[in-house]
Each structure stands twice: as C-alpha cells, then as structure tokens.
Amino acid sequence: MSRLIPKDVEEAQQLLEHIQSWSDEEVEQLPKFYREKAERYRELANKGEK
C-alpha cells in the first residue's frame, strides 16, 4: 500500500479546486474521458456542499 505524500495531496486539492472553477463550456471542450471525470467530480463536490 502506498503512502500519501503531503505535497501530492496538496497538488491534488489544488487541481480539484481548479476543476470546480471551470465553466460548463470549458468542461464541454475537454476530451471525453477528462470531461466525464470532471463532470463526476463536480457532481460529487456539489453533493458535499448541500
């Protein structure tokens, strides 16, 4: 099992915050795989805010 490295966790958190700030139009321009993952993350993040 791998260990979590604090700098990797911080980098991931920054990336996820960046994705959350994207407009719907920006997400739609992504290739299919990335678009689906970004949409899924945004769904999960929105559930957490409720």
Side-chain angles (χ1 to χ4, degrees):
M1 187 153 119
S2 64
R3 295 183 188 180
L4 291 176
I5 300 171
K7 71 174 188 163
D8 291 342
V9 173
E10 182 179 349
E11 183 180 348
Q13 183 178 10
Q14 289 173 353
L15 177 59
L16 294 174
E17 289 173 2
H18 186 69
I19 291 169
Q20 189 65 17
S21 72
W22 290 347
S23 69
D24 292 338
E25 293 80 24
E26 289 172 306
V27 172
E28 286 298 317
Q29 293 176 6
L30 295 170
K32 182 180 178 181
F33 176 81
Y34 296 108
R35 181 176 64 244
E36 290 172 350
K37 297 302 177 187
E39 290 169 347
R40 179 67 177 141
Y41 168 74
R42 292 170 91 190
E43 288 173 16
L44 292 171
N46 288 335
K47 280 185 179 180
E49 292 178 0
K50 292 181 181 179

